[in-house]
Amino acid sequence: MMAKILVVDDEADMELLIKQKFRRKIRDNTYEFIFAQNGVEALEKLQQHPDLDIILSDINMPEMDGLTLLTKLPETNPIIKAVIVSAYGDMANIRTAMNRGAFDFVCKPIDFEDLDLTVTKTLEHVSQLRSTLQAIKENNILKMYVDESVLSFMTHQEFENSLLLNEEVEASVMFVDICGFTAVSEHVPANTVVNLLNKMFDQMVHEIIEQGGHVDKFIGDAIMAVFQGNYHLDRCVEAALAIKQRLESFQENLNDFTFKPQISVGINAGEVISGNIGSASLRRLDYTVIGDTVNVAQRLQSVAQPGQIIVTQQSYEQLKESFRCKEIGEVKLKNKVKPVVIYEVTE
């Protein structure tokens, strides 16, 4: 990639000298030089060429000197780096330049071999800085799409070697569905539907995180969340109750009707298999939990009525001392041979 260099110097022969000494790199499209005669003109060039990489600047110039120009660079282009090229190479000027952000200092008369090395070193620094900033930007974007538990897993020393390994853990799994939301999409524009869904999800996710859970995935207008560690089932139920309470005060005016959401929740606790599911060849993996515990939680949600938080009898036995529950009775769950006794958590 061609480097773009701004030379700021009021000496008439400086432009010609630069073009002569760097003619091969100019011809090979390694370097492109832009020229300015003082600091004021340099700032104008920075506005016109935001892709500039480095600046080679003299100190003593009319209108705005090079040391003053250094103080203007952070607000104009915080990435660009400047090398001072000046005959005023006393320690006071060198210290002032470095304290104002100069990357290096080259004394006149110019040793062009040394200047070429300095330019190369400065360009490498700017390239590394840009790569770092890009990585930070990409990391921030990644955090919007990937749960923190996955990011933590990715930092493990043997992450790549253990991509397809899994482990059995005790966890509580919760499926939360927004009831009747599909009908909303038939009456309002798609963008309105997405914005409304994201607004509700944001409130729901807040309560999940508050109780130490993590969102495994968003499934249409539903959320699958997983809780591990001490009292994982209690914390899962606390999150479900908090979501229900929070959404009771939520309403949105949509065209000619008001939408007041209700949720149906299925919760199940037990052993799950945690790991990466997918294809290593395709380089598409989903860090998730699977197993019968997960399947039952999803089917409990499917039989829950609007406003209900449903658990199995086994979970009820663990919860009954801390939460008020009422027995609903036996239900037939999909792919289950025997009926299952279910309970509703009310408070």
Side-chain angles (χ1 to χ4, degrees):
M1 183 178 294
M2 182 169 57
K4 210 167 185 179
I5 303 168
L6 174 62
V7 179
V8 189
D9 200 307
D10 63 331
E11 292 183 17
D13 60 345
M14 187 60 171
E15 180 174 344
L16 180 61
L17 196 58
I18 288 289
K19 288 180 177 178
Q20 288 177 345
K21 295 296 184 179
F22 290 100
R23 62 184 180 276
R24 289 184 179 177
K25 291 191 174 182
I26 294 172
R27 188 170 59 243
D28 294 341
N29 291 322
T30 303
Y31 292 165
E32 177 186 356
F33 288 95
I34 309 294
F35 297 92
Q37 295 190 348
N38 54 62
V40 173
E41 189 177 337
L43 293 176
E44 294 174 357
K45 297 292 185 181
L46 281 168
Q47 294 291 337
Q48 296 168 12
H49 303 274
D51 57 340
L52 281 164
D53 294 294
I54 67 172
I55 295 175
L56 305 178
S57 177
D58 194 8
I59 289 180
N60 189 22
M61 298 177 291
E63 295 191 66
M64 182 186 293
D65 62 70
L67 296 178
T68 303
L69 173 61
L70 288 173
T71 65
K72 306 289 184 181
L73 294 181
E75 60 190 58
T76 306
N77 187 334
I79 296 178
I80 200 168
K81 293 299 175 183
V83 175
I84 295 297
V85 183
S86 173
Y88 296 91
D90 57 277
M91 185 56 65
N93 275 318
I94 292 175
R95 292 299 303 157
T96 300
M98 302 307 287
N99 288 334
R100 294 187 181 185
F103 184 77
D104 209 334
F105 198 109
V106 174
C107 294
K108 292 181 178 179
I110 302 171
D111 178 341
F112 278 92
E113 184 176 340
D114 176 61
L115 179 61
D116 193 15
L117 292 172
T118 303
V119 167
T120 299
K121 179 181 66 175
T122 311
L123 287 170
E124 288 175 353
H125 178 80
V126 171
S127 177
Q128 290 172 0
L129 181 59
R130 285 200 170 115
S131 296
T132 300
L133 292 174
Q134 181 64 25
I136 292 171
K137 180 180 178 181
E138 291 172 354
N139 186 54
N140 288 335
I141 294 173
L142 181 64
K143 286 180 179 178
M144 296 176 65
Y145 287 91
V146 182
D147 186 84
E148 286 187 8
S149 62
V150 181
L151 295 177
S152 176
F153 172 78
M154 290 167 62
T155 63
H156 290 179
Q157 187 174 2
E158 298 181 357
F159 164 64
E160 290 193 9
N161 294 331
S162 61
L163 277 177
L164 295 179
L165 298 182
N166 54 69
E167 58 178 338
E168 294 181 350
V169 297
E170 286 290 325
S172 292
V173 181
M174 173 172 67
F175 283 84
V176 188
D177 183 72
I178 302 172
C179 303
F181 193 79
T182 304
V184 174
S185 61
E186 299 175 359
H187 301 284
V188 295
N191 190 55
T192 303
V193 171
V194 172
N195 289 337
L196 175 59
L197 190 58
N198 287 340
K199 190 183 297 185
M200 289 187 291
F201 275 165
D202 194 47
Q203 297 197 31
M204 296 161 70
V205 167
H206 174 83
E207 301 298 342
I208 292 169
I209 294 174
E210 186 72 17
Q211 293 297 329
H214 76 266
V215 174
D216 185 276
K217 59 175 66 70
F218 296 97
I219 313 166
D221 55 7
I223 292 177
M224 174 184 166
V226 180
F227 295 75
Q228 297 183 44
N230 294 333
Y231 302 103
H232 55 80
L233 180 56
D234 285 39
R235 290 186 285 108
C236 183
V237 173
E238 291 279 13
L241 289 168
I243 291 171
K244 181 180 176 181
Q245 182 178 12
R246 180 179 276 239
L247 291 185
E248 283 176 354
S249 60
F250 182 96
Q251 68 176 38
E252 191 83 5
N253 295 319
L254 303 170
N255 294 341
D256 56 349
F257 71 98
T258 300
F259 177 66
K260 291 181 67 66
Q262 283 188 298
I263 58 169
S264 59
V265 182
I267 293 174
N268 194 30
E271 194 173 80
V272 298
I273 299 171
S274 175
N276 284 286
I277 309 299
S279 168
S281 300
L282 189 60
R283 303 186 70 83
R284 290 289 300 275
L285 298 171
D286 188 12
Y287 187 69
T288 186
V289 295
I290 61 172
D292 187 62
T293 298
V294 180
N295 297 337
V296 170
Q298 191 277 326
R299 283 154 193 163
L300 289 174
Q301 181 276 312
S302 68
V303 300
Q305 298 300 308
Q308 286 187 327
I309 300 170
I310 301 299
V311 298
T312 62
Q313 185 169 10
Q314 182 181 359
S315 294
Y316 163 73
E317 296 297 334
Q318 300 179 54
L319 295 168
K320 62 183 180 181
E321 293 184 0
S322 302
F323 299 90
R324 183 171 296 175
C325 307
K326 67 177 182 181
E327 183 177 344
I328 294 177
E330 289 187 345
V331 295
K332 184 72 170 66
L333 299 182
K334 183 179 178 181
N335 295 334
K336 288 293 178 182
V337 176
K338 296 180 179 180
V340 176
V341 177
I342 61 172
Y343 289 76
E344 178 185 357
V345 181
T346 56
E347 59 181 297

